[in-house]
Amino acid sequence: MPVGTQGAVKAVPHEMLEALDAEIILGNTYHLYLRPGHEAIRSMGGLHRFMSWPRALLTDSGGFQVYSLSQLRKVSDDGVQFRSHLDGSSHFFTPEHSIDVQIALGADVIMAFDECTEYPASRGRAEESLRLTMAWAERSLAHFRAHRDEVPWRRQGGSQVPISEPGTARISPDNPSDDHRTQSLFAIVQGGMYRDLRRQCTERLVEMAFDGYAIGGLSVGEPRELTLEVISEVLPLLPRDKPRYVMGVGYPDEIEQYARMGVDMMDCVLPTRAARHALLFTSEGRVNIKNKQYAEDQNPPDPACSCPVCRRYSRAYLRHLMQAGEPLAATLNSIHNLAFYLGIMQRVRNSLEADSQQLTADR
Amino acid sequence: MPVGTQGAVKAVPHEMLEALDAEIILGNTYHLYLRPGHEAIRSMGGLHRFMSWPRALLTDSGGFQVYSLSQLRKVSDDGVQFRSHLDGSSHFFTPEHSIDVQIALGADVIMAFDECTEYPASRGRAEESLRLTMAWAERSLAHFRAHRDEVPWRRQGGSQVPISEPGTARISPDNPSDDHRTQSLFAIVQGGMYRDLRRQCTERLVEMAFDGYAIGGLSVGEPRELTLEVISEVLPLLPRDKPRYVMGVGYPDEIEQYARMGVDMMDCVLPTRAARHALLFTSEGRVNIKNKQYAEDQNPPDPACSCPVCRRYSRAYLRHLMQAGEPLAATLNSIHNLAFYLGIMQRVRNSLEADSQQLTADR
């Protein structure tokens, strides 16, 4: 999932995302809550309509940004008090409030409010954080069940014609009738780097019967072996008929590895953020397109790539755009990196499909 | 002509310019000479191929940027010594050098090297400046005639396949055979705000038989009445069968007015520069899209516009993108403003065509 933090994938027009077959993008609840505000977005019909994105959307719970961006964070059993990174204003997020905000935004997939455990964390700290996450998951689920009919695109009427078909990418097996389609709620597994805590959290959340499951608390500075260990521990415990989502990863080889292990969804700012800093991911490895060696290199950024950027532009031109500070540099670099990431996922899907056809044939 | 100063229209992907039917864009010789350098662009086959823009290109002479951007400018009969605004390095531009650089860049239309007269200027200063411009026009023309076969896309061979068809938008009546197609050279009329000097300059340049004529030295701070006065003075003296180009204008109502007077070409950074500062040109007047009043305005930026931005996005979303500092704001605002400008020109063309059909019918 390309990340569209503030309701836009940075520097990439929607048309390009559609041309790249991006099926779903992620918006950050924390950012959209602060600006332009979830009530404004609700009153305009939800995030799909506000940003004019008819395909699927996922919003996170706000928990991770409260943890990573906000100031003077104060956690209690009830929720988290924090100050905005924009203007220092004071806010209080509870599980119920996070769900309310996410219902107002109206993404297809929303996330239970969690507390992201930092790395490293002592066992005592991880246990305490886990206790909160599990209690908050239960409260998120209860609140969602009571209010899931309030999603703005279920209440469209009057003269407004829906510009999009949110909910059609619905993953939840509940409410199969179109009349009752609503959002899907995923839980987030925490537990730090402690395998038994991760197992305990997973089993408890699976009992609660969410629509899908995410593994959170990764990409917080831990070594990659630990990331892999946690995913390996949790993944087999998750239901095979529900989406399994690893949050906030990763490098191209990581996402390929995790997808082959059975992970269905991932999100990461890396392809777009790296692009803005001149780093391209290619079939030949990482390319810092600002390097002098590309000044007159008329090859495409990635000779093996058929994305709109590699079909049209040379390394020399992309280098020039970066050197000259042209905003188009961020756009073109981001399009290529997203194409590269989405291409990896497409290849994994094709290969899984071929495997399963082979299995059927062998039977 | 949208302005692509450094080989890119700021924040606008080429695909969007093509979708807007932009037929020609302008590159700045001064900027491209300094970065990435005309020799690099020549060795890569010229600007069309370097930036992957198969449609028409025009480069200016560098004279205006030397006048407006560079430091420690020192003008002599031979040319202009100046220091780069990028790194303070010292450079010397003569008419011959400007033409050499423009031949290396290989735009379809190139400009004679001129000295832009500042505003206000005394009659003595304007006369001196005019003397230089006329002498430099003659030297530009002589040098171009001696070297016009050296344009990089005439020398393509070996394994390189042209990605574009530069020269097909050739405006010059010379060299009608495809084998001899080359660039078109336009002269620039100067003379400050002195009507007799403008007239004298125009008559002299027309005698030299350039491929087209530009009126320069406008948009240098003079009141709009004076701009109009100069255009009104010069335009009737220019040959009707060659393109007439007013450089560096203007606001939407200005470009419509000048086009109706018979101006064939104009360029201006205004639509894209204003866009980056949240100013949209619309059928309802100027809109500062950052204004609070648009926070929940779900109307398109311009209800009368059918550009890709107005068809898809609301004022509220564009305002949010500006407020949030999203790079997509510059892209979407620029696309709308360019569509608005190009739409004006299209309407003028349609109306002139209807007038001329009426004239034929009346005959």
Side-chain angles (χ1 to χ4, degrees):
Chain A
M1 295 182 286
V3 176
T5 301
Q6 304 187 103
V9 175
K10 282 208 193 308
V12 182
H14 295 9
E15 290 76 10
M16 296 290 181
L17 295 169
E18 289 166 346
L20 297 179
D21 285 332
E23 297 174 3
I24 176 169
I25 62 180
L26 180 146
N28 287 120
T29 294
Y30 169 87
H31 287 95
L32 293 166
Y33 159 81
L34 289 177
R35 187 170 58 192
H38 63 295
E39 288 302 351
I41 291 179
R42 186 210 306 274
S43 80
M44 290 185 274
L47 186 56
H48 289 88
R49 174 188 285 271
F50 173 63
M51 62 182 285
S52 188
W53 177 256
R55 300 186 182 182
L57 286 172
L58 180 147
T59 48
D60 61 8
S61 69
F64 184 76
Q65 275 72 30
V66 166
Y67 153 83
S68 62
L69 282 181
S70 72
Q71 292 140 8
L72 296 171
R73 194 171 65 109
K74 202 179 147 190
V75 182
S76 64
D77 273 17
D78 197 25
V80 187
Q81 179 97 38
F82 64 93
R83 286 188 182 279
S84 158
H85 75 294
L86 295 176
D87 62 3
S89 57
S90 188
H91 302 267
F92 192 64
F93 254 53
T94 62
E96 291 77 13
H97 188 50
S98 167
I99 296 298
D100 279 340
V101 172
Q102 291 186 78
I103 289 173
L105 299 176
D108 303 270
V109 178
I110 68 175
M111 304 302 296
F113 191 61
D114 62 327
E115 211 230 7
C116 185
T117 315
E118 69 281 5
Y119 176 83
S122 70
R123 186 172 174 96
R125 162 67 192 134
E127 278 173 343
E128 172 57 16
S129 171
L130 181 60
R131 185 183 67 77
L132 278 180
T133 285
M134 290 196 294
W136 290 356
E138 199 149 2
R139 284 166 57 188
S140 295
L141 184 61
H143 196 77
F144 175 68
R145 286 189 172 150
H147 297 275
R148 62 181 162 194
D149 287 346
E150 295 166 19
V151 63
W153 35 266
R154 288 215 52 196
R155 297 180 297 150
Q156 275 170 7
S159 63
Q160 283 192 347
V161 179
I163 54 156
S164 63
E165 282 299 323
T168 50
R170 190 180 51 84
I171 291 163
S172 161
D174 303 322
N175 302 325
S177 144
D178 249 8
D179 291 347
H180 293 92
R181 68 193 170 84
T182 182
Q183 300 171 288
S184 298
L185 177 64
F186 287 18
I188 303 175
V189 174
Q190 293 285 354
M193 303 302 154
Y194 301 91
R195 294 167 69 162
D196 62 319
L197 296 185
R198 286 283 182 173
R199 204 160 49 239
Q200 178 190 332
C201 181
T202 309
E203 284 163 358
R204 180 70 198 95
L205 293 175
V206 169
E207 279 167 25
M208 292 187 220
F210 283 85
D211 298 320
Y213 295 91
I215 309 178
L218 299 178
S219 285
V220 288
E222 79 281 6
R224 190 163 153 189
E225 299 75 50
L226 272 186
T227 318
L228 185 60
E229 196 178 299
V230 168
I231 296 174
S232 305
E233 184 69 35
V234 172
L235 213 51
L237 305 175
L238 294 174
R240 293 177 62 92
D241 60 343
K242 290 185 174 175
R244 293 168 292 190
Y245 165 24
V246 176
M247 306 183 83
V249 293
Y251 282 95
D253 57 326
E254 288 182 278
I255 67 165
E256 175 158 4
Q257 180 179 24
Y258 304 152
R260 292 195 185 279
M261 289 167 65
V263 173
D264 301 300
M265 302 166 69
M266 285 169 275
D267 74 280
C268 197
V269 293
L270 191 55
T272 44
R273 182 174 292 165
R276 295 197 300 282
H277 294 91
L279 181 65
L280 301 181
F281 297 103
T282 79
S283 61
E284 298 171 350
R286 298 182 203 171
V287 165
N288 185 331
I289 200 64
K290 276 190 98 162
N291 280 354
K292 178 97 180 99
Q293 70 183 101
Y294 303 119
E296 301 197 18
D297 187 337
Q298 293 191 263
N299 291 302
D302 181 352
C305 177
S306 62
C307 83
V309 174
C310 289
R311 279 202 307 268
R312 182 161 192 166
Y313 303 101
S314 66
R315 291 173 177 174
Y317 185 60
L318 295 192
R319 175 181 191 265
H320 167 66
L321 294 179
M322 282 299 306
Q323 291 289 114
E326 282 291 328
L328 196 57
T331 299
L332 299 185
N333 292 350
S334 296
I335 291 170
H336 166 74
N337 277 354
L338 288 175
F340 190 76
Y341 268 64
L342 292 166
I344 291 171
M345 291 295 101
Q346 190 55 53
R347 277 199 309 281
V348 173
R349 273 196 294 274
N350 293 347
S351 127
L352 292 176
E353 208 165 291
D355 289 354
S356 94
Q357 281 169 357
Q358 192 55 48
L359 276 176
T360 312
D362 290 350
R363 216 166 267 160
Chain B
M1 294 180 287
V3 177
T5 300
Q6 304 187 104
V9 175
K10 284 207 193 305
V12 182
H14 295 10
E15 291 76 11
M16 297 290 180
L17 295 168
E18 289 165 347
L20 297 179
D21 285 332
E23 297 173 3
I24 175 169
I25 62 181
L26 182 147
N28 287 119
T29 293
Y30 170 87
H31 287 96
L32 293 166
Y33 159 80
L34 290 177
R35 188 173 53 194
H38 63 294
E39 288 301 350
I41 290 179
R42 185 210 305 272
S43 80
M44 290 186 275
L47 186 56
H48 288 88
R49 173 189 285 272
F50 173 62
M51 63 182 286
S52 188
W53 176 256
R55 299 186 182 184
L57 286 171
L58 180 149
T59 48
D60 61 8
S61 69
F64 184 76
Q65 275 72 30
V66 166
Y67 153 83
S68 62
L69 282 181
S70 71
Q71 292 141 7
L72 297 169
R73 194 172 65 109
K74 203 179 148 192
V75 181
S76 64
D77 273 18
D78 197 25
V80 188
Q81 178 98 36
F82 62 93
R83 286 188 182 277
S84 158
H85 75 293
L86 294 177
D87 62 4
S89 56
S90 188
H91 302 266
F92 191 63
F93 254 51
T94 62
E96 291 77 14
H97 188 49
S98 168
I99 296 299
D100 279 339
V101 171
Q102 292 185 79
I103 289 174
L105 298 176
D108 303 270
V109 179
I110 69 175
M111 305 301 296
F113 191 61
D114 63 329
E115 211 231 6
C116 185
T117 315
E118 68 281 3
Y119 176 84
S122 70
R123 186 170 174 96
R125 160 70 192 134
E127 279 174 342
E128 171 58 17
S129 171
L130 181 60
R131 186 183 65 78
L132 277 181
T133 286
M134 290 196 294
W136 290 356
E138 197 149 2
R139 284 166 57 189
S140 294
L141 184 60
H143 197 77
F144 175 68
R145 286 188 171 151
H147 296 275
R148 62 183 162 192
D149 287 345
E150 295 167 20
V151 63
W153 34 266
R154 288 213 52 193
R155 296 181 298 149
Q156 276 172 6
S159 63
Q160 283 192 348
V161 179
I163 53 155
S164 63
E165 282 300 323
T168 50
R170 191 178 51 82
I171 292 165
S172 162
D174 303 320
N175 302 325
S177 145
D178 248 8
D179 291 347
H180 293 92
R181 67 193 171 82
T182 182
Q183 298 171 290
S184 298
L185 176 64
F186 286 19
I188 303 176
V189 174
Q190 293 285 352
M193 303 302 154
Y194 301 91
R195 294 168 69 162
D196 61 319
L197 296 185
R198 287 283 182 173
R199 204 160 49 237
Q200 180 189 330
C201 182
T202 309
E203 285 162 0
R204 180 70 199 97
L205 293 175
V206 169
E207 279 167 25
M208 293 188 220
F210 283 85
D211 299 319
Y213 296 90
I215 309 177
L218 299 178
S219 286
V220 288
E222 79 281 6
R224 188 161 153 190
E225 301 73 52
L226 273 186
T227 319
L228 186 61
E229 198 177 298
V230 169
I231 295 173
S232 305
E233 185 68 35
V234 173
L235 213 52
L237 306 175
L238 294 174
R240 292 176 63 92
D241 60 344
K242 290 185 175 177
R244 292 168 295 190
Y245 166 24
V246 176
M247 305 184 84
V249 292
Y251 282 95
D253 57 327
E254 288 181 278
I255 66 165
E256 176 159 4
Q257 180 179 22
Y258 305 151
R260 291 195 187 280
M261 289 166 65
V263 172
D264 301 299
M265 301 166 71
M266 285 169 275
D267 75 280
C268 198
V269 295
L270 190 56
T272 43
R273 183 175 290 164
R276 295 197 299 281
H277 294 91
L279 182 65
L280 300 181
F281 297 103
T282 79
S283 61
E284 299 172 350
R286 297 182 203 172
V287 166
N288 184 331
I289 199 65
K290 275 190 100 162
N291 280 354
K292 177 98 181 102
Q293 69 184 103
Y294 303 119
E296 300 197 18
D297 187 336
Q298 292 190 266
N299 292 302
D302 182 351
C305 176
S306 63
C307 83
V309 173
C310 289
R311 279 202 308 268
R312 181 161 193 166
Y313 303 101
S314 66
R315 291 173 178 176
Y317 184 61
L318 294 192
R319 175 181 192 265
H320 167 66
L321 294 180
M322 283 298 305
Q323 292 289 114
E326 282 289 330
L328 196 56
T331 300
L332 298 184
N333 293 350
S334 297
I335 291 170
H336 167 75
N337 278 354
L338 287 175
F340 190 76
Y341 268 64
L342 293 166
I344 291 171
M345 290 296 101
Q346 190 55 54
R347 278 198 308 281
V348 174
R349 272 196 295 273
N350 293 347
S351 128
L352 292 176
E353 207 165 295
D355 287 356
S356 96
Q357 280 169 359
Q358 191 55 47
L359 275 177
T360 311
D362 289 351
R363 214 165 272 161

